[in-house]
Amino acid sequence: MKHVLMHIQTKSGWLLTLALTMAATAPAQSLNWEGQTGVFVTPLAYTAASPANNVGKPIVAYHFLDAGPVLGDFHTASVTEGLFGRVELGYTHVFHGDGSTPSLSPLWTGGFNIVHGKVNVIKENAGKQKWLPAVSAGFVERVGIQNVSGVLFDNNSSGATNSKSYNSGDYYVVGTKTVTQTKKLPLVLNLGYKATNASVFGLAGVAPSYSGRLFGAAAFVVKGPAKSTLIFGSEFAQQPRQILNLPGADIPTTLTYAARIVPFEKTKFNVDFGVAQAAGQILPGVDVKVRHQFALGVSYGI
């Protein structure tokens, strides 16, 4: 990045420098749905900003998902802290607003808690290797999930339905590269692999067992009006196909299409707008109607 800054002299070059700088720094001050430095639902290999020998300032975030008339609305409030230039730790609470479909909405009830952490193992461009992505390993632990799996829990022979809380986890590795060689259109590429037993990040309960799932994202950066930067992208997150206590359910890959707005060069504030495709007909005759749902995210670095 310093090499680029030294050699760009023209006005158009200055705009390019700004776009490349924002491409690298905007992801590091933006939290995803679960509070990780990331896109909308997937983590990046970057970590929350912090000095190499100290603790950084916290980043706070709020996210909203209109999950439709069956699942209802979900909100998350997050705080994440960077440590020693390579580590981040954070906490998120998921709040839930009831849906309006009497036959299905009672399966989605209550919120839950999320704790997450990430360690950057390889720095981007380490050893002056411009092709080298950042590589990180992390975890997500969700505590107190009752949605679907918990509501459908039955622990006796009388046929009575009881409520039970479950925990779920992700253990993942992820690589991220900001490609600056495409000078007029910087790219951010992301790919990871996780072992998980969470169905749609816990929003649809838990899976019967852990399975390996891929996730990834691609985005491009453009200069917006009034010194803003715009990042447009899409991401995917494979899901465990089954839901515990709901035999026959079939959960597809989650997709999102998102735009991130960084209003000003020097602020640590940004806004995400997105459309999420999570699940439609998961059983014959059972449509949860979460295929084209609006999502919003706001992150601010203190």
Side-chain angles (χ1 to χ4, degrees):
M1 183 63 72
K2 290 182 179 179
H3 178 80
V4 174
L5 292 173
M6 290 173 60
H7 289 83
I8 297 178
Q9 304 293 332
T10 65
K11 181 177 179 180
S12 61
W14 180 85
L15 292 176
L16 171 60
T17 301
L18 177 60
L20 296 182
T21 302
M22 295 304 292
T25 59
Q29 65 193 33
S30 305
L31 304 185
N32 69 6
W33 172 258
E34 298 188 298
Q36 306 156 292
T37 297
V39 190
F40 216 104
V41 295
T42 59
L44 295 167
Y46 304 134
T47 57
S50 62
N53 59 352
N54 210 332
V55 176
K57 295 181 179 181
I59 303 172
V60 295
Y62 163 78
H63 285 79
F64 165 74
L65 171 64
D66 172 10
V70 176
L71 274 65
D73 296 333
F74 290 94
H75 308 256
T76 66
S78 307
V79 58
T80 294
E81 185 90 15
L83 300 89
F84 312 116
R86 285 185 179 267
V87 179
E88 74 175 28
L89 295 171
Y91 167 77
T92 294
H93 184 75
V94 179
F95 301 88
H96 176 246
D98 293 342
S100 58
T101 306
S103 60
L104 293 174
S105 293
L107 294 177
W108 281 267
T109 176
F112 53 93
N113 298 298
I114 301 172
V115 178
H116 67 88
K118 186 194 307 178
V119 178
N120 179 231
V121 180
I122 301 175
K123 289 283 189 179
E124 189 173 26
N125 303 330
K128 298 183 180 180
Q129 301 298 315
K130 294 183 179 181
W131 59 268
L132 191 65
V135 177
S136 294
F139 74 91
V140 181
E141 184 70 19
R142 306 169 189 86
V143 180
I145 299 170
Q146 291 184 314
N147 295 330
V148 182
S149 296
V151 174
L152 293 176
F153 170 72
D154 185 357
N155 66 350
N156 59 55
S157 60
S158 66
T161 299
N162 304 278
S163 181
K164 177 180 173 61
S165 294
Y166 290 91
N167 298 342
S168 72
D170 296 356
Y171 304 93
Y172 66 87
V173 292
V174 60
T176 306
K177 187 74 180 82
T178 299
V179 181
T180 59
Q181 287 81 357
T182 53
K183 295 182 179 181
K184 293 185 178 181
L185 198 67
L187 303 175
V188 179
L189 304 176
N190 191 57
L191 184 64
Y193 180 84
K194 64 182 177 181
T196 182
N197 69 334
S199 182
V200 195
F201 316 102
L203 303 184
V206 300
S209 61
Y210 278 84
S211 59
R213 303 280 84 185
L214 288 171
F215 62 88
F220 61 90
V221 184
V222 297
K223 185 72 178 71
K227 297 184 178 180
S228 65
T229 299
L230 309 178
I231 305 174
F232 299 96
S234 181
E235 58 189 329
F236 75 92
Q238 290 183 327
Q239 302 295 334
R241 301 305 296 261
Q242 298 177 316
I243 300 177
L244 183 67
N245 300 331
L246 190 62
D250 188 8
I251 304 301
T253 296
T254 298
L255 302 174
T256 73
Y257 309 92
R260 174 166 295 165
I261 302 172
V262 185
F264 304 103
E265 173 189 357
K266 296 182 179 180
T267 61
K268 298 179 180 180
F269 170 78
N270 54 71
V271 180
D272 292 344
F273 298 95
V275 175
Q277 295 185 348
Q281 183 168 303
I282 62 173
L283 286 166
V286 178
D287 189 347
V288 295
K289 301 180 181 180
V290 194
R291 291 303 295 165
H292 303 91
Q293 300 306 122
F294 172 75
L296 167 71
V298 179
S299 299
Y300 178 71
I302 297 175

